[in-house]
Amino acid sequence: MALDQIIRLGVTVVAILIPLFIIAIQKPAAENLRRHGALMTTAIITLSGFGFTAFRNLPIKDKFVRKAIHASCNFSAFVVMAVGIYIIHDHKEKSGFPHFTSVHSWLGMLTIVMFGLMFIFGAVAFNPFSDFPNEKVRRILKPFHVFLGVGVFGLGYCTWGSGILQYGLSNDMPEVTALFGVLAMFVVLFTLVYRKPSKANEEK
């Protein structure tokens, strides 16, 4: 097994395990917080991270299949994110807690709005079932799509990190906060830096 395959496999395993760790560390009494944390972690770190690199890194020659996986992961991330936000909103309503009183809350709302807009933009501009816009326009739009995608992914990580920090500090769990910060940074750095296309799908 090649080194790049080992790295990709390791990052995938870590990205899958992080949501499970999030569930494990939280207090059993805070069921809605457990669900919110697990869902948002799954959406932002696992699904969004995999979707971000799927189009370039999956060893699949068929461009349509890679594009379908990329879109499916991002759409799933958006849906899971929406459910996670609904759960915490419902929890605050029932508990009588005010909304949008922290940086984490505002970042979360901004993330899901920007993520949704990016998905709509990508679905319209790069729809494989439509010739609109034409190939020339798509080539012009692609760098913007990639650049904004990196920005939205980074925004999502900031949201996730602020949530973990807020939970860790409010429950006097600095070690856990540091641990998950390192794990998530490992995934994010790989996603942003190690983006060399797989040899199976490099475009000539």
Side-chain angles (χ1 to χ4, degrees):
M1 183 180 289
L3 178 60
D4 64 332
Q5 293 177 318
I6 295 175
I7 293 175
R8 289 187 178 111
L9 178 61
V11 171
T12 301
V13 171
V14 171
I16 292 173
L17 289 178
I18 287 179
L20 302 180
F21 291 154
I22 292 293
I23 296 174
I25 65 164
Q26 293 183 349
K27 297 179 179 179
E31 191 64 33
N32 286 327
L33 291 179
R34 286 161 59 91
R35 292 173 182 170
H36 172 73
L39 287 171
M40 299 307 285
T41 303
T42 300
I44 294 172
I45 300 298
T46 307
L47 290 173
S48 178
F50 184 71
F52 184 69
T53 57
F55 185 73
R56 288 171 58 90
N57 287 333
L58 283 180
I60 300 174
K61 294 182 179 179
D62 193 325
K63 185 176 180 180
F64 175 80
V65 174
R66 286 186 280 121
K67 184 177 287 189
I69 294 174
H70 169 73
S72 298
C73 286
N74 284 314
F75 178 73
S76 299
F78 179 75
V79 172
V80 173
M81 230 184 285
V83 175
I85 288 180
Y86 169 77
I87 286 176
I88 198 64
H89 179 274
D90 185 63
H91 171 72
K92 287 188 174 182
E93 284 288 322
K94 292 179 178 179
S95 303
F97 295 135
H99 298 286
F100 301 109
T101 57
S102 66
V103 173
H104 173 65
S105 298
W106 285 102
L107 283 175
M109 186 54 63
L110 181 60
T111 297
I112 193 169
V113 170
M114 293 300 297
F115 199 95
L117 291 175
M118 273 298 301
F119 180 82
I120 294 172
F121 170 74
V124 173
F126 304 101
N127 185 354
F129 301 106
S130 172
D131 293 328
F132 175 83
N134 60 46
E135 195 62 31
K136 182 178 180 180
V137 175
R138 290 186 180 190
R139 284 197 295 268
I140 295 173
L141 293 176
K142 185 176 179 180
F144 294 98
H145 179 62
V146 174
F147 177 77
L148 293 174
V150 171
V152 173
F153 181 76
L155 180 63
Y157 172 73
C158 290
T159 302
W160 184 87
S162 64
I164 291 296
L165 181 63
Q166 182 175 304
Y167 182 86
L169 293 177
S170 62
N171 289 277
D172 194 24
M173 302 170 69
E175 300 85 359
V176 170
T177 300
L179 171 62
F180 286 103
V182 170
L183 289 175
M185 185 61 71
F186 171 67
V187 176
V188 171
L189 286 177
F190 170 84
T191 304
L192 297 179
V193 178
Y194 196 80
R195 297 186 66 243
K196 178 183 177 182
S198 171
K199 291 182 179 179
N201 58 36
E202 284 183 331
E203 297 181 3
K204 297 181 180 179

